[in-house]
Amino acid sequence: MAEHTSKQFDAELESVRSRVLQMGGLVEEQIIRAMDALGSGDMPLLEKVIADDHRVNAMEVELDELCSHIIARRQPAAGDLRMIFAIMKTVTDLERIGDEAQKIARMAKNIHERGGPQAPPVVEVRHAAEAAISMLRRTLDCFARLDCDAAAEVIRDDAGIDTEFRSILRQLITYMMEDPRTITTSLEIVWIAKAIERIGDHATNIAEFIIYVVKGADVRHSSIEDIETTVR
């Protein structure tokens, strides 16, 4: 009987993890669409990204409820409990990534609706976005495989996106000083760049939860050197 119950529990947990990966796939798609539409000015696509945020929110509510029911029914302990807590925190970060994708779409919509003199090219922003999407994709892969080493690599890569954000900010300040007509658009691109940086931060949070699940160590606020020592 105990083995039967254990198998049921494992199946429930696996189902929840699968749903988390589906949610991750949806938010990744949201970011890609928002960035594509930023470059192309595809207004219907921007509207779709903004409207589809409710799907991400609904998945967060559904997964939180599933986790709460598992805790109430199964009363998991040790590693299983860590896994459920990590799932709940991961879902929160994925929902916030969805919010950032929606923010990118809103700013892009403003830029393209206004037209007029375009400020800086968005090439630098696209490069940062590709790095953030790569971080999210690799983090979800780490989550699927519970791979601590790869999670530590993702955490290390977050510094690169932070550096890119500062570089974009310096460029935009220069544009605004040289041509005040670009100020409104430049500020919107700052918000887009900040949203991309936050996506990297949320991917990093998820990577930290993976290490917590596998190693039982809370590595938040730890240096990358300490994190790499923990996962060895």
Side-chain angles (χ1 to χ4, degrees):
M1 181 66 185
E3 186 184 352
H4 174 67
T5 305
S6 172
K7 281 182 178 173
Q8 277 186 325
F9 174 71
D10 288 344
E12 283 177 24
L13 210 49
E14 200 50 46
S15 171
V16 171
R17 286 182 65 201
S18 176
R19 292 288 289 154
V20 172
L21 292 171
Q22 283 179 20
M23 184 180 180
L26 175 58
V27 298
E28 181 186 332
E29 192 176 277
Q30 287 279 86
I31 305 163
I32 291 168
R33 285 176 169 174
M35 290 305 301
D36 284 349
L38 169 64
S40 67
D42 183 337
M43 297 302 273
L45 185 56
L46 289 171
E47 294 285 7
K48 181 168 174 52
V49 172
I50 292 164
D52 279 356
D53 187 54
H54 77 92
R55 291 173 58 203
V56 179
N57 296 342
M59 289 184 92
E60 179 192 26
V61 171
E62 177 199 350
L63 281 161
D64 275 349
E65 285 178 357
L66 284 171
C67 288
S68 297
H69 289 157
I70 288 174
I71 290 170
R73 280 202 320 275
R74 303 293 186 188
Q75 298 180 339
D80 290 330
L81 188 60
R82 285 206 305 272
M83 170 62 80
I84 291 167
F85 281 146
I87 286 170
M88 293 175 84
K89 286 180 174 292
T90 294
V91 164
T92 299
D93 275 288
L94 288 175
E95 189 275 331
R96 287 176 182 164
I97 290 173
D99 288 345
E100 299 300 341
Q102 187 188 52
K103 192 181 297 174
I104 292 168
R106 287 186 189 283
M107 294 299 110
K109 185 166 175 266
N110 291 346
I111 290 168
H112 287 291
E113 276 179 344
R114 192 168 52 253
Q118 288 298 300
V122 293
V123 177
E124 300 88 346
V125 179
R126 176 163 291 281
H127 184 267
E130 285 167 358
I133 291 164
S134 169
M135 278 181 71
L136 174 60
R137 192 173 290 150
R138 286 183 293 132
T139 302
L140 292 169
D141 187 47
C142 295
F143 178 85
R145 295 184 293 112
L146 294 178
D147 185 337
C148 273
D149 292 325
E153 283 178 25
V154 170
I155 295 166
R156 180 179 279 283
D157 287 352
D158 186 48
I161 293 183
D162 294 345
T163 301
E164 284 212 46
F165 171 71
R166 289 192 292 271
S167 170
I168 290 165
L169 193 57
R170 282 195 299 272
Q171 290 169 23
L172 290 170
I173 289 168
T174 303
Y175 274 109
M176 288 187 278
M177 288 170 67
E178 289 176 353
D179 184 356
R181 291 173 302 170
T182 67
I183 287 174
T184 303
T185 302
S186 292
L187 287 174
E188 280 160 346
I189 294 172
V190 169
W191 284 112
I192 289 169
K194 186 62 184 172
I196 291 165
E197 189 223 10
R198 292 294 298 140
I199 288 166
D201 290 342
H202 290 302
T204 299
N205 291 346
I206 296 168
E208 290 170 349
F209 300 144
I210 292 161
I211 294 169
Y212 170 68
V213 170
V214 177
K215 297 292 185 179
D218 186 345
V219 296
R220 291 175 299 173
H221 316 300
S222 300
S223 69
I224 186 61
E225 291 76 19
D226 288 344
I227 290 169
E228 287 174 343
T229 300
T230 300
V231 302
R232 279 191 200 118

